[in-house]
Amino acid sequence: MAKSDTFCNRAEAYEAHDNVPLSPPDRDTIGDIILRRYSRREMMRGTLGVAAAASLFGPTLLASHAARAEGAQDRFSFEEIAAGVDETHHVADGYRADVLLRWGDPLFPDSPPFDPLQQSAAAQLRQFGYNNDYVAFIPLDADGNRGLLCVNHEYTNEEIMFPGIARQDLICFPDMTAELVDIEMAAHGVTIVEIARQDGQWRPVLDNTYNRRISPANTEMRVDGPASGHERMKTSADPSGTRILGTLNNCAGGATPWGTYLTAEENFHGYFWSDLCATGGKPPAGLGGAQAKSYERYGVPGLWQAWGKFIDRFNVDKEPNEPNRFGWIVEIDPFDPNSVPVKHTALGRFRHEGAECLVNKDGRIVVYCGDDARFDYVYRFVSEGKFDASGHKANMSLLSAGTLSVAKFDDDGRVEWLPLVFGQGSLTPEAGFTSQGDVVLDARLAADALGATRMDRPEDVQPNPVNGRVYVILTNNKDRAAGQDDPANPRAENVFGHIIEMTPPDGDHAAPEFRWEVLVRCGDPAVAEVGALWNPETSGNGWFACPDNAAVDAEGRLWIATDQGEPWPTGRADGLYALETEGARRRTAKLFFRVPVGAEMCGPCFTPNQETLFVAVQHPSADATERYKGFERVSTFADPATRWPDFKPDMPPRPSVLAITKVGGGKIA
Ligand code: FEO
Ligand code: CA
Ligand code: CA
């Protein structure tokens, strides 16, 4: 296959697939309120008057400025580290960051030792997988020294993982073999592993009944909700449309209040193949027949992996419905290693980033989800049933039925939640929807029909149970053209991203309308053209770009992980930033931790006692190392930009989860 585009790494290719804006253009663009009422230059210069800024960003911005004059107390007491990039990670003084789990580490007493030159699928299924992303900690004891760590393994970088091969999707996959594909599949999915802290040090516990590797190859899953048994869910291996082998491209996720793990299937389209486009790089018009519109809207087949070359179900010519069986939220019971994970179709099918949830004040469960693609949407699911605090199993069907809605961010500061319900509004047979199953399978097309707001790549959507608000992380969107900016996506060519804060009325997360305002516009505040918005207390090290994952600590403080990928707009490593949301220091960011060159910052996850922070360092040495001064070439297995974290000449870089603790003990602050 010769692709028409050339990419420096797979992350860039992933992004480039969003280059064609797949959602239909806004009905109401041309800068809406901002360009209607103020010139773009005024916005960039930050010369808006107080009254104008209040109407755009709400009163909190002004309140924070006013309060600042009275003096501001920093709720984050750590000493900020210097921004920069090098071969290793850095954490604030007074803290230690210990490697807890690396790609290839054993998970079971019989796991073979990791040998990067003798990899096999069988070994990988007994070892920690590749490219760790989301991390959840589910406590096993009251003092927080034992727990289950649930970790997503999002994707694989073959050129760094395997000796002797270059990146394959750029050159028709000549070196991919069935054996390598099997190893890749085994390196994807989810790890569940018990960990315990002894003498201040966290370690995996191998000899227990919980540990489990879930992969696209070996784990059967059940389908529930409106698309279960749908005609478009049926394949030759599963004529019932109710059983699916595996999960893939597990990006972020969530932990439920009843102790299960949610994993989000993100860029599923990239795993599908068609012989019809394998030589031309682009799917021919009409591929998919009756499903062509759906294929096009979801970018199926993406041809980022060679799996469909060797495995029929990933070839849409042979199994045209298999792509419909991915792109869901999957619930896993980590307490039972034999449990069958469930794909909850009621939460809709799209490029799911995460699934952060809470118990609403009326007892229903609310799950927030982003669809991580340029110009795609923010979603909310509200369960039909209510949380039962008496039992874990009693809640296992809460995500099976409820109302999925999509967000419309209005000029006047309202968020309208538009229900994706068959028969309501334009979701009718005339528009091509004949059931709720159709609606959830093509949630993107349904959201298009309702006029949802086209966002700058929604990643985590993170509720903060302490202040009652919700943070929408919008990582970037360089393809938003001048004139396509709107109040909720206020910058054209938005390479730096921004964060929106939503406020439900009276703390009711199921309400039909919220309020919203922009919390920060990312990028360097010293460069006026960037149009950044930070509290002036933010230092030259503290501002960031391309926010992605978010965590809220026990005190309700926000922590943001970044993922710049290409084009690496800051030239500084990604990291974890504390971001103040309250009071006089609202909008102040501080750099706590940074990753080695080429890596992306994932996780982050606190233990309930806030004494440990788990972070995931994904794809060290992979991204943009051509621009890394002194290295200036693409990383490979033989020649990576860093051999983090082992720094041994015969060991490739290894994606790893770290445990950050305070030296001498105590809360992370
Ligand atoms: Fe896998 Fe949206 O990051
Ligand atoms: Ca992510
Ligand atoms: Ca990302």
Side-chain angles (χ1 to χ4, degrees):
M1 183 194 82
K3 282 191 132 174
S4 53
D5 304 312
T6 55
F7 309 116
C8 299
N9 55 44
R10 195 174 305 277
E12 190 187 0
Y14 276 32
E15 293 215 346
H17 256 259
D18 302 328
N19 272 349
V20 181
L22 295 172
S23 60
D26 283 344
R27 289 121 190 98
D28 183 18
T29 61
I30 318 300
D32 286 313
I33 190 169
I34 294 175
L35 287 186
R36 272 204 302 271
R37 292 164 54 188
Y38 310 103
S39 80
R40 181 176 162 76
R41 276 179 69 206
E42 272 183 316
M43 285 301 299
M44 291 303 201
R45 284 187 187 143
T47 53
L48 276 180
V50 167
S55 73
L56 288 176
F57 302 117
T60 340
L61 170 66
L62 301 175
S64 69
H65 278 281
R68 189 177 163 265
E70 298 159 19
Q73 203 58 40
D74 188 357
R75 286 203 299 163
F76 297 100
S77 58
F78 69 85
E79 199 68 37
E80 179 170 64
I81 62 171
V85 60
D86 57 30
E87 290 182 20
T88 193
H89 65 271
H90 298 268
V91 67
D93 260 1
Y95 293 85
R96 52 189 281 184
D98 300 316
V99 177
L100 174 63
L101 285 156
R102 300 163 297 184
W103 167 46
D105 275 352
L107 296 174
F108 305 93
D110 66 351
S111 296
F114 181 58
D115 181 347
L117 296 174
Q118 299 289 329
Q119 297 180 50
S120 72
Q124 181 65 88
L125 286 174
R126 307 299 282 170
Q127 299 164 338
F128 194 63
Y130 204 76
N131 272 350
N132 34 225
D133 197 301
Y134 189 80
V135 178
F137 177 82
I138 297 175
L140 288 172
D141 68 9
D143 58 11
N145 288 326
R146 261 184 81 219
L148 299 179
L149 206 68
C150 307
V151 184
N152 283 347
H153 301 291
E154 187 180 12
Y155 68 103
T156 45
N157 296 88
E158 66 276 4
E159 73 280 15
I160 299 168
M161 205 174 156
F162 303 125
I165 66 171
R167 196 177 137 200
Q168 295 291 295
D169 57 319
L170 303 178
I171 51 174
C172 308
F173 303 96
D175 303 312
M176 290 311 292
T177 61
E179 188 189 0
L180 291 181
V181 164
D182 284 346
I183 297 169
E184 285 186 338
M185 290 179 73
H188 278 66
V190 175
T191 288
I192 293 162
V193 56
E194 183 182 337
I195 58 170
R197 189 183 187 192
Q198 261 187 336
D199 306 322
Q201 184 91 22
W202 285 98
R203 288 191 186 84
V205 179
L206 305 192
D207 192 7
N208 71 75
T209 57
Y210 299 114
N211 293 5
R212 183 176 189 186
R213 270 306 316 282
I214 287 168
S215 89
N218 72 335
T219 313
E220 189 173 77
M221 313 213 158
R222 184 166 68 79
V223 187
D224 84 353
S228 180
H230 192 286
E231 274 309 308
R232 289 174 57 201
M233 295 290 276
K234 295 176 179 172
T235 63
S236 52
D238 172 29
S240 74
T242 61
R243 310 294 287 194
I244 296 173
L245 186 58
T247 182
L248 51 76
N249 208 265
N250 306 83
C251 191
T256 67
W258 53 96
T260 59
Y261 180 62
L262 302 178
T263 183
E265 298 179 336
E266 195 189 27
N267 291 299
F268 65 93
H269 62 299
Y271 295 78
F272 290 92
W273 176 278
S274 164
D275 296 330
L276 293 174
C277 55
T279 53
K282 297 271 184 206
L287 184 68
Q291 303 192 79
K293 197 171 154 196
S294 178
Y295 271 27
E296 189 183 0
R297 184 65 178 84
Y298 285 87
V300 169
L303 287 102
W304 299 352
Q305 301 280 2
W307 298 10
K309 196 173 168 181
F310 303 101
I311 300 168
D312 285 354
R313 71 183 172 115
F314 293 107
N315 184 334
V316 298
D317 306 330
K318 294 172 180 162
E319 286 293 351
N321 286 342
E322 190 72 4
N324 300 331
R325 293 147 61 87
F326 295 87
W328 303 106
I329 293 294
V330 183
E331 183 176 15
I332 299 167
D333 180 357
F335 291 98
D336 176 2
N338 298 312
S339 61
V340 176
V342 181
K343 297 205 179 193
H344 287 301
T345 65
L347 280 78
R349 173 171 163 264
F350 42 91
R351 295 187 205 166
H352 271 286
E353 171 71 25
E356 296 290 351
C357 56
L358 54 82
V359 181
N360 195 37
K361 58 197 280 189
D362 62 6
R364 289 183 289 172
I365 298 301
V366 175
V367 187
Y368 290 100
C369 295
D371 181 350
D372 181 7
R374 295 188 180 108
F375 302 104
D376 258 293
Y377 305 131
V378 173
Y379 294 83
R380 179 189 71 178
F381 172 82
V382 180
S383 69
E384 212 169 271
K386 293 185 176 176
F387 177 62
D388 179 348
S390 69
H392 162 79
K393 295 278 180 197
N395 297 298
M396 294 286 287
S397 59
L398 279 178
L399 304 183
S400 307
T403 304
L404 180 69
S405 305
V406 66
K408 181 164 181 278
F409 292 83
D410 289 323
D411 296 9
D412 59 6
R414 285 179 307 136
V415 184
E416 290 179 72
W417 290 106
L418 312 173
L420 295 164
V421 175
F422 170 64
Q424 286 189 21
S426 49
L427 306 182
T428 59
E430 295 72 55
F433 300 100
T434 60
S435 66
Q436 186 62 20
D438 288 351
V439 170
V440 294
L441 267 163
D442 281 323
R444 281 182 162 189
L445 292 170
D448 295 345
L450 296 181
T453 304
R454 307 167 76 224
M455 308 300 288
D456 286 346
R457 292 187 59 200
E459 302 255 23
D460 275 13
V461 183
Q462 180 74 46
N464 180 337
V466 176
N467 70 11
R469 300 192 287 263
V470 184
Y471 296 91
V472 181
I473 314 297
L474 298 156
T475 199
N476 58 50
N477 181 358
K478 70 177 172 52
D479 291 345
R480 187 175 291 277
Q484 283 187 317
D485 43 337
D486 62 38
N489 301 277
R491 287 184 293 184
E493 296 155 34
N494 179 13
V495 295
F496 299 107
H498 60 290
I499 300 175
I500 286 176
E501 182 182 68
M502 301 192 293
T503 306
D506 304 319
D508 180 9
H509 288 265
E513 287 188 9
F514 290 6
R515 302 290 302 173
W516 70 269
E517 65 175 284
V518 172
L519 178 66
V520 293
R521 294 191 302 272
C522 303
D524 187 347
V527 180
E529 292 72 29
V530 166
L533 171 67
W534 301 102
N535 189 308
E537 298 285 349
T538 303
S539 80
N541 295 307
W543 63 267
F544 56 77
C546 306
D548 187 332
N549 298 129
V552 171
D553 67 23
E555 291 165 36
R557 302 177 309 174
L558 189 58
W559 300 73
I560 302 289
T562 66
D563 168 22
Q564 298 168 78
E566 285 288 341
W568 197 17
T570 71
R572 306 155 24 143
D574 281 318
L576 185 68
Y577 297 79
L579 178 58
E580 184 55 84
T581 56
E582 310 302 316
R585 292 183 64 90
R586 181 169 159 85
R587 300 188 168 87
T588 305
K590 278 176 75 175
L591 177 54
F592 179 71
F593 176 89
R594 65 174 160 92
V595 297
V597 63
E600 147 186 7
M601 179 87 273
C602 298
C605 169
F606 287 91
T607 52
N609 62 16
Q610 212 174 293
E611 291 184 4
T612 303
L613 166 61
F614 300 105
V615 292
V617 176
Q618 189 180 128
H619 59 69
S621 89
D623 276 7
T625 53
E626 318 84 278
R627 298 164 202 236
Y628 177 41
K629 233 175 167 196
F631 186 75
E632 287 141 11
R633 53 197 183 272
V634 173
S635 287
T636 60
F637 181 94
D639 180 27
T642 178
R643 291 187 182 275
W644 185 91
D646 301 291
F647 295 107
K648 290 183 181 158
D650 55 352
M651 192 57 79
R654 299 164 82 182
S656 303
V657 171
L658 309 186
I660 299 177
T661 51
K662 196 169 188 176
V663 175
K667 284 187 177 182
I668 291 174

